[in-house]
Amino acid sequence: MPPQSNYVLDLIRRYGSGNAGPISPPSLNRREIEHLYNAGLASMALLTFELSSSELKSADLTARVIYGQLRSATIEILGIASQHNIPVVLLKGMSVAEDLYAEPHHRLMGDIDILVPVEQSQNQCRLLTDSGYRTPDDTATPDQHHHLPALCHPDSDVYLEVHTSLLQSTVIDRERLKETSSIWANVE
């Protein structure tokens, strides 16, 4: 159970206000620092509170490295799509990391998500496979899912999901789901 304190809310409020510069930290005990670490808030805490915790510094460095790997892979993936005239919309974490966070590595991510037109999704996956991405053996994706089976690059361990729809068909009736054609009309 997380510690009973307002330090997490204070951290998020201060970070979200755009005033994330260092302030004197609340007196946090070991358990509370571990909670920040386990909750993925280490980088935000280091920026917002003047903390000197090797665990939080280590987590921040790890987040920077992971973000760098994901960013490099995203550039490569978008380049492949562009070379083959496949429109792509970047989804979720990578699409907002640089615009909505003080530092992009503060947006923790486990994979890259892209949306491609359903009729070009198999071609996009083939191109990614040609560039080294593989479907892990333990990957299972149900029929009628909103993305194809996950891909992973064995050298970087970067995971990627190629979405063909914004929502899974079981979330909302397909007839009521807005067609993605309007999205593609606005892609540059």
Side-chain angles (χ1 to χ4, degrees):
M1 180 167 167
Q4 299 300 315
S5 174
N6 288 328
Y7 70 96
V8 174
L9 289 176
D10 292 342
L11 168 65
I12 293 171
R13 282 187 188 117
R14 180 151 176 89
Y15 185 88
S17 73
N19 299 320
I23 60 169
S24 296
S27 56
L28 299 177
N29 62 38
R30 180 86 187 130
R31 185 171 172 225
E32 291 167 329
I33 289 175
E34 285 179 17
H35 182 242
L36 289 172
Y37 175 88
N38 291 331
L41 298 172
S43 294
M44 288 183 186
L46 284 174
L47 180 70
T48 306
F49 301 143
E50 293 175 336
L51 295 173
S52 179
S53 161
S54 59
E55 290 90 347
L56 296 182
K57 289 177 183 176
S58 174
D60 180 67
L61 179 58
T62 300
R64 288 174 188 272
V65 170
I66 291 170
Y67 174 77
Q69 288 177 312
L70 291 171
R71 186 175 189 281
S72 294
T74 299
I75 291 168
E76 176 188 11
I77 291 162
L78 295 177
I80 291 168
S82 178
Q83 288 173 355
H84 297 277
N85 296 316
I86 298 174
V88 172
V89 174
L90 198 55
L91 300 175
K92 302 191 319 189
M94 192 56 75
S95 70
V96 299
E98 292 187 14
D99 293 329
L100 299 182
Y101 292 82
E103 297 286 337
H105 71 281
H106 293 172
R107 173 53 166 97
L108 297 181
M109 296 170 268
D111 64 4
I112 300 166
D113 296 273
I114 61 173
L115 176 67
V116 299
V118 67
E119 62 274 4
Q120 294 184 7
S121 61
Q122 292 299 326
N123 187 35
Q124 177 68 28
C125 284
R126 182 188 54 76
L127 293 167
L128 291 166
T129 300
D130 291 348
S131 69
Y133 284 84
R134 301 289 179 255
T135 303
D137 294 335
D138 61 348
T139 300
T141 302
D143 291 340
Q144 303 299 316
H145 203 65
H146 63 292
H147 63 76
L148 301 176
L151 297 170
C152 179
H153 200 286
D155 295 337
S156 63
D157 205 32
V158 168
Y159 278 78
L160 165 72
E161 291 182 349
V162 177
H163 292 248
T164 56
S165 176
L166 293 175
L167 298 171
Q168 187 173 345
S169 61
T170 57
V171 173
I172 189 168
D173 181 3
R174 275 261 186 228
E175 299 302 318
R176 293 178 38 211
L177 182 62
K178 185 177 178 181
E179 290 297 320
T180 56
S181 59
S182 63
I183 294 171
W184 302 121
N186 296 311
V187 172
E188 296 176 3

